[in-house]
Amino acid sequence: MSSDNYAGRLSEYKNKGICGLPEKNETKRSLEHKLKRLIQLVKESNHTTVITGAGISTNAGIPDFRGPKGIWTLENKQKQAMRKSKKRKLTETSSSSCTSNATTANNIAAEMTPSASFETAKPTLTHRAITFLSSDPINQVQYTITQNVDGLHMRSGISRAKHCFLHGCIFTEKCEDCKKEFFRDYDIQGISFQYTGRVCESCNGKLRDTILDWEDDLPEDDWQRAQAECEQSDLILALGTSLRIQPVGDLPTWAKKGFVIVNKQETPYDGQAEMRIAADVDLVMDRLLKGLGYTDWDEPMKEKECAKNEAKAESCVDEKKENDERENDAIKVQS
């Protein structure tokens, strides 16, 4: 499943925030100045919380929603093109106008490049960096709050105790009785806490999807924890998020000493932030970790990911072997 398919599950909702704002990049001089300030702020913070949005997953091949080529931006373009087409009078439906309509539709379709599958997408440098900063004995990030449903934080190895996914996760189903969560390798389908057809391995209770639709309430336990972590924070880093969806959008303002936004598009909170860094979030996080003294931090993270993938591949081979053996046994019984 891809992010455009996920977006298609959501019910119709008009207030999706401003889409398609231009992206800007810092000048080299401005970027260097802001990176030095960011490193200083992180060093001085005793409690740091990270809030992430779709922008941290674009380097994994998953499109965002409100960027220049975001899902909702291009969706709006299509709707506008359709409205213009409908307004044309019947007398204007000449071959030239038809060609113009077709050209517009093709141009928009060309922008809507196929997105990476959630199942095959891999954690980006930013995902790995957050996991590293959250790990023992580093502990320079105390908690991470994500609005993303792609499961890439979980795949990066961050502890569930140190992060929450407030809008749900397409790979996670939850027991309605004991509340135990199960993280799968496949999209568990559904939206708005539907029964998935499976039962809990611990208590036999029904398992339900965790994906929120527009009008659904945030998960109570995670929402309470997210607010508590933000209230304790000296510093909050808002990475790859436009901060246009409430109530999560307000959370950075809860930091005691300030918050930093890393996003190429402007946000409604730029004026309140310590600063907004308009740059690629992977570049910023890599420079941040190196500035904190972790020059080779990513090598162990990559090794862990490779080992995990190898173990998964071996498991798939074993599973295929077992299936083949069962099929052979079934053929023997039939013959």
Side-chain angles (χ1 to χ4, degrees):
M1 183 185 118
S2 57
S3 56
D4 48 344
N5 290 330
Y6 154 69
R9 287 187 199 176
L10 298 170
S11 59
E12 187 62 30
Y13 190 73
K14 293 182 179 180
N15 189 22
K16 293 176 179 175
I18 299 173
C19 298
L21 289 174
E23 291 184 344
K24 297 181 180 179
N25 286 290
E26 302 286 348
T27 64
K28 185 175 181 181
R29 182 176 180 180
S30 173
L31 179 61
E32 292 301 319
H33 171 75
K34 289 185 177 181
L35 285 172
K36 287 180 181 178
R37 179 64 179 143
L38 175 63
I39 293 165
Q40 180 185 0
L41 288 170
V42 173
K43 285 181 177 179
E44 293 174 352
S45 174
N46 292 318
H47 193 107
T48 301
T49 294
V50 173
I51 299 175
T52 66
I56 74 163
S57 295
T58 54
N59 285 341
I62 298 174
D64 59 21
F65 294 95
R66 297 178 185 83
K69 293 188 178 182
I71 291 171
W72 292 332
T73 302
L74 298 182
E75 178 187 275
N76 287 343
K77 283 186 178 182
Q78 279 190 322
K79 289 179 179 179
Q80 289 170 8
M82 288 175 66
R83 282 196 293 269
K84 288 180 181 179
S85 178
K86 288 179 181 179
K87 286 181 180 178
R88 293 182 184 273
K89 296 178 181 179
L90 289 175
T91 56
E92 294 177 343
T93 56
S94 61
S95 59
S96 60
S97 65
C98 288
T99 301
S100 176
N101 290 342
T103 301
T104 301
N106 289 336
N107 288 341
I108 295 172
E111 290 184 80
M112 299 180 75
T113 53
S115 60
S117 163
F118 280 149
E119 286 87 348
T120 59
K122 295 180 179 179
T124 65
L125 183 147
T126 296
H127 291 97
R128 298 193 301 272
I130 293 169
T131 297
F132 177 81
L133 290 173
S134 302
S135 64
D136 295 327
I138 308 301
N139 290 322
Q140 285 198 273
V141 167
Q142 278 62 49
Y143 199 66
T144 297
I145 302 161
T146 188
Q147 302 164 87
N148 299 341
V149 301
D150 53 34
L152 290 180
H153 279 298
M154 289 284 284
R155 287 186 175 179
S156 72
I158 191 171
S159 166
R160 180 65 175 89
K162 290 190 174 183
H163 91 288
C164 66
F165 34 87
L166 288 181
H167 296 167
C169 172
I170 66 161
F171 299 111
T172 301
E173 51 189 343
K174 187 174 182 178
C175 178
E176 66 179 11
D177 294 331
C178 72
K179 310 305 178 186
K180 184 174 181 179
E181 293 178 350
F182 297 87
F183 185 74
R184 310 298 189 186
D185 289 331
Y186 51 86
D187 174 14
I188 56 98
Q189 301 297 322
I191 191 168
S192 198
F193 320 118
Q194 296 175 15
Y195 174 43
T196 64
R198 290 173 288 274
V199 295
C200 179
E201 298 167 11
S202 298
C203 72
N204 216 37
K206 287 184 177 180
L207 296 182
R208 297 188 177 276
D209 76 79
T210 57
I211 297 292
L212 271 64
D213 205 348
W214 288 107
E215 300 300 332
D216 290 326
D217 292 331
L218 297 178
E220 184 64 25
D221 290 347
D222 282 336
W223 178 231
Q224 292 297 331
R225 174 75 185 277
Q227 292 177 92
E229 293 291 339
C230 288
E231 283 183 327
Q232 295 178 61
S233 295
D234 293 323
L235 175 68
I236 293 178
L237 304 180
L239 309 178
T241 171
S242 62
L243 298 174
R244 294 184 184 277
I245 294 295
Q246 297 300 340
V248 180
D250 275 336
L251 289 179
T253 65
W254 294 26
K256 289 185 285 188
K257 293 185 178 180
F259 63 97
V260 173
I261 301 168
V262 181
N263 204 54
K264 289 185 179 181
Q265 290 180 304
E266 65 181 41
T267 82
Y269 295 90
D270 290 359
Q272 300 176 54
E274 179 76 19
M275 61 182 169
R276 175 170 67 90
I277 305 176
D280 183 273
V281 68
D282 281 358
L283 181 152
V284 172
M285 292 304 288
D286 187 46
R287 290 288 302 276
L288 170 62
L289 268 75
K290 288 175 180 175
L292 293 172
Y294 307 118
T295 53
D296 299 320
W297 69 272
D298 205 19
E299 290 308 312
M301 301 296 292
K302 288 179 179 178
E303 289 173 7
K304 284 182 182 179
E305 188 174 331
C306 287
K308 188 177 179 180
N309 290 335
E310 288 174 4
K312 183 178 178 180
E314 289 177 5
S315 175
C316 290
V317 170
D318 292 340
E319 185 176 346
K320 185 178 185 302
K321 187 177 179 181
E322 290 176 5
N323 289 335
D324 291 343
E325 289 175 353
R326 282 196 292 268
E327 288 177 5
N328 291 334
D329 290 342
I331 292 171
K332 288 179 182 178
V333 170
Q334 290 176 0
S335 59

